[in-house]
Amino acid sequence: MKRFLLPVMALFLTTGISAQMVPEETEWYSPKPPKVTPGNQPGMPPSDAVILFDGKDLSQWKSEDDSAPRWEIREGAMVVKPGTGSVKTKQHFGDVQLHIEFKSPDPKNHSGQNRGNSGIFLQSRYEVQVLDADNNETYVNGMVGSIYKQQAPLANAYTKNGEWQVYDIYWKAPRFGTGGKLESPAMITVVLNGILVQNNYILKGTTPYIGYPAYEAHGRLPLMLQDHGTEVAFRNIWIRDL
Ligand code: MG
């Protein structure tokens, strides 16, 4: 029994020290978190959000080659105009909270990756897939809610073709040190229609169509939306620069 005596005594000593602490030692008052007022309805932008699209114009966007974007505005949504290329924000971002809603077009005779394909590219490099998942089979790490070709979603939270789908995305950008060495990888949490589909997923790198993920050093970059040849519509896009 004697050999248990020392650890037990050590435990009492440690507990004794913390018992002498006052509660105030572990409480602090600054810096004070900024006051942010929520939107007037769920899904509407809070007071500090950057409004990227409010249904009216593409003033916050440009084409990939920096020319004026040629996507269309229809019924308060910005709609991919196939063949005109992806669009990206004029503003560059690092860590963000992003809200974006999308609607898949009429499926017609398209299937798999050709049915309502687009994508939300955080920092222009890391794709959260946008795809119709209403009776549409494809590889699971390329379905809606996936981190493209890296991680399947935890659930298929898509509702029905023709209905608006709501994404809330929480992004922690990768950090690079001297010489471009990766210090900490990107991390993402994705909620689709109120359902958690990516839970603090740590990215292995970029999300290429062919090949494996890899990191290459970068700083703040635009948010990009993909032209994948189908008329996906987007609305109510806002972002909080963290
Ligand atoms: Mg895509």
Side-chain angles (χ1 to χ4, degrees):
M1 287 305 280
K2 246 179 194 167
R3 62 201 166 106
F4 294 112
L5 220 58
L6 268 177
V8 168
M9 275 171 70
L11 185 71
F12 273 121
L13 275 173
T14 323
T15 323
I17 289 162
S18 57
Q20 284 159 20
M21 281 178 72
V22 291
E24 288 75 11
E25 280 183 65
T26 48
E27 300 165 3
W28 57 90
Y29 288 80
S30 68
K32 244 190 178 143
K35 172 74 185 147
V36 179
T37 311
N40 52 9
Q41 283 175 58
M44 294 314 284
S47 57
D48 65 346
V50 175
I51 312 295
L52 294 176
F53 181 68
D54 66 358
K56 294 188 188 86
D57 60 61
L58 297 174
S59 58
Q60 300 296 313
W61 300 85
K62 52 187 181 176
S63 287
E64 260 187 293
D65 64 0
D66 291 338
S67 65
R70 284 171 288 159
W71 289 18
E72 287 175 353
I73 296 186
R74 274 187 233 154
E75 296 166 359
M78 55 189 271
V79 182
V80 177
K81 190 167 183 194
T84 66
S86 301
V87 296
K88 60 184 182 181
T89 54
K90 290 177 181 171
Q91 199 170 325
H92 292 206
F93 300 99
D95 296 356
V96 295
Q97 174 184 350
L98 171 68
H99 178 97
I100 183 164
E101 303 175 17
F102 74 92
K103 190 165 76 171
S104 313
D106 181 337
K108 295 180 183 159
N109 54 355
H110 296 304
S111 64
Q113 291 287 313
N114 292 321
R115 188 184 291 185
N117 194 336
S118 182
I120 299 159
F121 283 72
L122 282 310
Q123 300 195 293
S124 305
R125 291 165 186 234
Y126 312 98
E127 182 180 12
V128 175
Q129 178 68 302
V130 169
L131 198 73
D132 190 340
D134 185 352
N135 277 310
N136 187 32
E137 288 299 314
T138 189
Y139 43 96
V140 294
N141 58 344
M143 68 182 285
V144 72
S146 68
I147 305 308
Y148 187 66
K149 293 233 175 154
Q150 277 193 45
Q151 183 77 344
L154 297 167
N156 179 356
Y158 190 95
T159 60
K160 279 190 196 130
N161 178 275
E163 293 183 353
W164 284 97
Q165 313 294 320
V166 181
Y167 262 138
D168 285 288
I169 296 171
Y170 309 91
W171 176 251
K172 188 163 183 228
R175 267 64 169 168
F176 300 93
T178 43
K181 194 172 172 290
L182 181 70
E183 274 183 352
S184 63
M187 188 157 73
I188 194 166
T189 291
V190 180
V191 176
L192 176 58
N193 297 322
I195 295 161
L196 184 68
V197 295
Q198 297 289 346
N199 184 13
N200 285 312
Y201 175 68
I202 294 168
L203 279 84
K204 297 181 179 84
T206 50
T207 53
Y209 175 43
I210 299 169
Y212 291 97
Y215 277 109
E216 191 183 277
H218 63 82
R220 291 167 67 87
L221 286 170
L223 173 74
M224 193 174 85
L225 300 179
Q226 183 184 40
D227 169 9
H228 197 283
T230 49
E231 297 182 350
V232 177
F234 293 94
R235 73 174 185 190
N236 190 21
I237 311 172
W238 54 262
I239 198 164
R240 294 183 63 240
D241 197 3
L242 303 173

